[in-house]
Structure formats: C-alpha cells, structure tokens
Amino acid sequence: MKSQYDIVVAGGGLGGLTAANRLACAGYKVLLAEQHIQLGGLATAFRRRNHIFDVALHGFPDGMRRSFRRYWGKAFSDRVIQVKSIRFHNPQYRLESTFDTADFSRKMVEHFRVPPEKVNGFFARVASMNYTDDQSMTTRELFQEYFPGRTDVWRFLMEPISYANGSTLEEPAISYGIVFGNFMSQGVYTFLGGTDQMLEMMTKELVQNGVDIQLGCRVEQALLKEGRVEGARIDGRNVACHALVSNGSLFRTAWELGGRENLSPAFQEGLEKVRPSTSSCQVYLGIKPGEKLPFIGDLVFHSTAPEYDAEALCAPAPTSRTFSVYYPELRPGSQEYSLVASMNARYQDWSNLTPEEYRRRKELLVEDALSTVEEYVPKIRSLVEYACAATPLTFQRYTGHWRGATFGTKFEGLKFSQELPREIPGLFHTGSVGIIMSGWLGAMNYGVIVANEVDKYLTEQEA
C-alpha cells in the first residue's frame, strides 16, 4: 500500500468495486481497501469442505446485463443467463412463473381472475415510477387501489420483493414499484460460473486498470483539513487522498469515518431517524459428490403463513423461505449441487442470545431447511454432506454493516447518503440505501452514480 492515492475506496462490495473501476478507467490512482479477506461484500461466495456456496446470487433483473456490459465489459454481460423456473408454494396458491410481465399478467388474469384492464393499468403505473416521485403513497395503498382486499394477489406481487430487499406494505409505493418493475422487464437472471467466477473476473479487470487492491485492511477514519478529506487512516496508517468513497454501512460511514463532530446538527438529527432495513439468515446445504438433486426449480418461494405477513417473514421461527438451487449447469465443468435457504431476520432477535442459545438456534435453522426441502426431495438428508447457517451476526461480522443489515436502510436513507459530501467535502457513500439501491443492480448502478460525483468533485477542486 502506497502512502498517497487520488481516491481511497473503503469496501469491496459491488458498489465499491464498480466505483473503483470507473474511477481508475478515468485516470485516477485508486486504492480499494477491503476489511475482509475477500471481495464482494454480500455479493460473494465461500468454500467449505470443497463446496462452493453463493451468498447473494439469487437472481437479478435483466438490467444487470446492460450494466455489466457498460461498466465491466462484454465478457461479463455474456455470462448473464435467465432463471426460468420460479415456484411459489404457500397456502393461497401453488404456481410456477418466469417472473416477467407477460407471464405475471397471464397468471393474474387466468389464475387470480383479475380483470385485464386492472392488470394492465397496474403494470403501466409501476413502469412509470421514479425515485423522485411523491413518496406519500404506500405499497398497501397502491395494491388496495388496483386489487382491493385481494391478499392472494398482494402476496403474489409483494412476497418475492420482500425477500429481495426487506420491504413491506408500509414502505413508499415507489420503492416497491421501481424494484418490481426492474424484474418485470424481462424476468430473473443469474451469473454463469457463480459469484466466485464473477469476482475473479472483476479482480483481474481492476488490477488491469491500475486499482491497488488491499485485503484485510480496515479504513478507520477520514482525515480532514479545513473540513475537507485529505486522507484516510487505514489500520493505524495515514494514507493521503483527495476523496474517500465508503462502500460500508451508511451509519458507520457518517459516524465513524466522517465523525459526528464534523456533521451539522440537522444532518445528525435526520440520520438518527433513518431506519436500518432488516437482516437475513441463510442455510447452506452441500450435496455429496456423485449424488444429484432432482430438478425442483431454480428459485422456490415456500411459505406456510396463511397470508403475506412482513412480521412473520422476519420471525425467529421461520414460516417463509426462499430456496436457491444450484445445479452443475451454473458452473460449467462442475458436477456440484448445492442449495441455499434464505430467510428475512431481525438483528435484535439474535444479538442477546447466550453462546449455547445461539448455537441451538442455528441448528434449528438447518433442521427447518432440511424438513422443508423434504417436501420436494424426500431423501435430502441422505444427500447432504455439509450444512451450516448464517445469521444477522454473521453478516455483521463479515461486512461490518450496522446491526447486520443485509438490505441497508429504508427509503429515507438515500437522502443522507447523497447529501454526505455536502457535510464533509470529499467523503462519499455508495451502498445499500433506500431499498432501491440494494441488490446487485442497485448496488452497481449506485457505484457508477457516486463515481461520477467523485469525478465531478475532483475536477472542480483542480479548477
């Protein structure tokens, strides 16, 4: 690590990786400092006993293909493939979909018996939404306007998005509509080769473009001179720079890197009211070499809750789960099968447990996943060679996200993320905020937006 750079990027999630790459391609000397021993943030993979598990590769919109091509290159966009079998199993319906506008519209008309004009009007409304629109209408009010009292339709439209970013019926309708509209364009996609392949390709691209990548390095504080960033303290060492881009938690970025004493009272008061979004639990199941999983779909939304219930989605005793099934076709040349169960969760339900209670709760997560999968693969227990669980505490440990928030902040957080450079010139934030900037597409595009702001700031400083 050198003693001086133009820009330090703190954190190697998708937003930080993309911002670093864009700024390096613009000619800046960039340091990417990641506190963990590997890149990716929540879009990463890990290996246990020769099994590779993808942490966050559960599907992204078709817009990711365009973003990959524009900001990383054709080799990346060529690896975007469609996930074609998405299944919904709950007490209200059992359906299979390709998760695009045409198929969803057909299901709503033919299965749920919703008048076509209502369906078309709803999708047109969603397609027109923008994050600068009025925020007063909630998603519940939007659904009630088009599908009054139809909780089965609400569940069909809402539950997958809640899994994806922790949103509820009480969030602003535009935060739902933008995310849902992105998926509805062409369906759900994934990265051929898995997250590990993507990160390997990104690392090579970053190095080729001149980014200095340092792993196991924690950015502790922004160094200021006359209120502006002039460096960063990294593991006790001062490194000079003209701008610091944080890809970490919004709260840690403002309070720790920036320092409460450097923030205006109004900004501090507003940030204190920003609500962190929820966290997650995951269960990773590795299948024995030589054994196979039958095809049960690529994504399975399984719930035993009578109706859509945001509180039940996060409850310690799971009633709703997403199963992502990884077949060998995802990693050409591999014969490996694995399965990841994801559940929304609340940090406070895990943070005060004794070590024994914590261990037992993790065991129950694994048992719940196995019992549920038995409905689709009766002999799953005899096929699984390795199983482990992650909790909000796991995500807090590896990412540094406050309260282990896997979905960043609620919608109001976006304003404070964008206004941070006005409080502390030279300090920028890119990360999961405002719900719409979470997930792969949102994170990558927000990295581009922030990179452009950094370039503008430095250009103005030189002038």
Side-chain angles (χ1 to χ4, degrees):
M1 187 162 59
K2 300 180 179 67
S3 60
Q4 183 171 351
Y5 296 86
D6 295 322
I7 303 156
V8 171
V9 177
L14 278 183
L17 292 169
T18 306
N21 196 46
R22 294 284 290 173
L23 291 165
C25 289
Y28 294 105
K29 295 179 181 178
V30 179
L31 167 65
L32 175 61
E34 166 58 49
Q35 66 171 5
H36 192 21
I37 59 172
Q38 64 188 52
L39 299 174
L42 284 165
T44 192
F46 65 94
R47 183 180 291 274
R48 293 288 187 276
R49 298 186 190 174
N50 296 319
H51 296 284
I52 298 177
F53 297 108
D54 292 79
V55 174
L57 186 56
H58 305 311
F60 44 76
D62 177 60
M64 196 73 185
R65 186 202 307 273
R66 297 187 294 274
S67 292
F68 266 131
R69 186 180 185 98
R70 186 171 182 180
Y71 306 128
W72 287 97
K74 186 175 181 297
F76 288 84
S77 62
D78 286 349
R79 285 183 169 270
V80 175
I81 58 174
Q82 188 171 11
V83 174
K84 296 184 179 180
S85 176
I86 301 172
R87 298 183 176 180
F88 304 81
H89 290 177
N90 59 65
Q92 291 179 292
Y93 52 83
R94 294 176 71 90
L95 294 171
E96 182 175 5
S97 175
T98 51
F99 212 89
D100 55 66
T101 302
D103 190 59
F104 252 56
S105 298
R106 184 163 52 251
K107 294 287 192 304
M108 292 174 71
V109 172
E110 296 177 0
H111 180 87
F112 294 100
R113 302 299 181 186
V114 178
E117 60 273 16
K118 283 288 185 181
V119 175
N120 294 335
F122 172 78
F123 279 108
R125 177 83 164 271
V126 166
S128 68
M129 287 183 174
N130 187 285
Y131 77 89
T132 59
D133 293 345
D134 175 55
Q135 302 175 25
S136 60
M137 173 179 276
T138 66
T139 303
R140 181 187 298 277
E141 291 169 335
L142 175 68
F143 287 172
Q144 187 67 22
E145 178 181 334
Y146 284 92
F147 318 110
R150 291 295 304 271
T151 60
D152 54 344
V153 176
W154 296 10
R155 183 180 208 156
F156 187 54
L157 296 171
M158 187 70 196
E159 205 163 59
I161 306 305
S162 292
Y163 284 125
N165 64 14
S167 59
T168 71
L169 290 172
E170 312 314 323
E171 311 288 350
I174 59 171
S175 68
Y176 164 82
I178 292 170
V179 175
F180 183 75
N182 284 335
F183 279 106
M184 283 294 101
S185 60
Q186 296 292 333
V188 180
Y189 292 76
T190 194
F191 195 86
L192 181 64
T195 316
D196 52 319
Q197 176 69 51
M198 180 194 73
L199 291 173
E200 181 180 336
M201 292 171 62
M202 285 183 168
T203 301
K204 290 180 179 178
E205 185 74 13
L206 287 163
V207 172
Q208 179 178 312
N209 291 331
V211 177
D212 185 354
I213 302 174
Q214 298 287 335
L215 301 179
C217 290
R218 181 180 175 85
V219 177
E220 301 165 337
Q221 184 181 1
L223 303 176
L224 308 182
K225 182 178 181 180
E226 297 179 354
R228 291 182 178 273
V229 169
E230 69 165 8
R233 182 169 295 127
I234 306 175
D235 286 343
R237 175 181 173 182
N238 291 352
V239 175
C241 63
H242 302 300
L244 171 59
V245 179
S246 172
N247 190 206
S249 160
L250 171 61
F251 305 105
R252 178 174 177 263
T253 299
W255 293 333
E256 295 183 26
L257 271 61
R260 291 177 184 266
E261 69 278 9
N262 299 310
L263 301 170
S264 67
F267 187 91
Q268 287 198 61
E269 182 180 354
L271 185 57
E272 291 281 359
K273 296 177 181 178
V274 171
R275 298 164 296 162
S277 197
T278 49
S279 187
S280 301
C281 290
Q282 293 192 335
V283 174
Y284 309 96
L285 304 176
I287 305 302
K288 296 175 182 177
E291 297 287 358
K292 299 180 179 180
L293 283 177
F295 185 79
I296 61 173
D298 297 296
L299 282 173
V300 181
F301 296 108
H302 180 101
S303 179
T304 55
E307 294 184 349
Y308 169 81
D309 185 335
E311 285 298 309
L313 278 174
C314 298
T319 58
S320 302
R321 318 135 187 96
T322 304
F323 291 101
S324 301
V325 189
Y326 299 95
Y327 304 96
E329 292 79 9
L330 179 66
R331 292 184 171 89
S334 166
Q335 294 302 313
E336 184 174 325
Y337 292 80
S338 63
L339 192 151
V340 178
S342 298
M343 290 74 65
N344 293 23
R346 291 182 294 252
Y347 176 82
Q348 59 266 33
D349 292 329
W350 290 86
S351 59
N352 296 316
L353 301 177
T354 66
E356 176 58 28
E357 290 171 335
Y358 184 70
R359 182 189 64 79
R360 180 58 180 155
R361 286 272 294 276
K362 289 180 72 175
E363 291 175 350
L364 290 174
L365 282 179
V366 174
E367 175 59 29
D368 173 79
L370 289 170
S371 297
T372 306
V373 176
E374 280 182 321
E375 297 184 29
Y376 306 94
V377 186
K379 62 175 185 176
I380 185 65
R381 294 175 189 271
S382 66
L383 301 179
V384 172
E385 179 182 54
Y386 178 79
C388 65
T391 74
L393 274 65
T394 314
F395 293 118
Q396 182 187 52
R397 174 187 176 188
Y398 286 111
T399 67
H401 287 188
W402 192 58
R403 298 172 66 88
T406 50
F407 307 120
T409 72
K410 297 298 186 181
F411 190 79
E412 64 268 16
L414 181 59
K415 172 180 181 289
F416 293 90
S417 175
Q418 293 176 325
E419 291 183 356
L420 184 59
R422 300 177 194 170
E423 294 286 313
I424 304 176
L427 178 59
F428 297 82
H429 175 258
T430 181
S432 293
V433 286
I435 296 177
I436 60 174
M437 295 301 187
S438 65
W440 281 36
L441 180 62
M444 182 178 290
N445 288 342
Y446 199 28
V448 174
I449 291 170
V450 171
N452 292 340
E453 290 297 316
V454 174
D455 183 36
K456 178 182 177 182
Y457 168 78
L458 293 179
T459 301
E460 290 174 349
Q461 290 299 108
E462 290 178 2

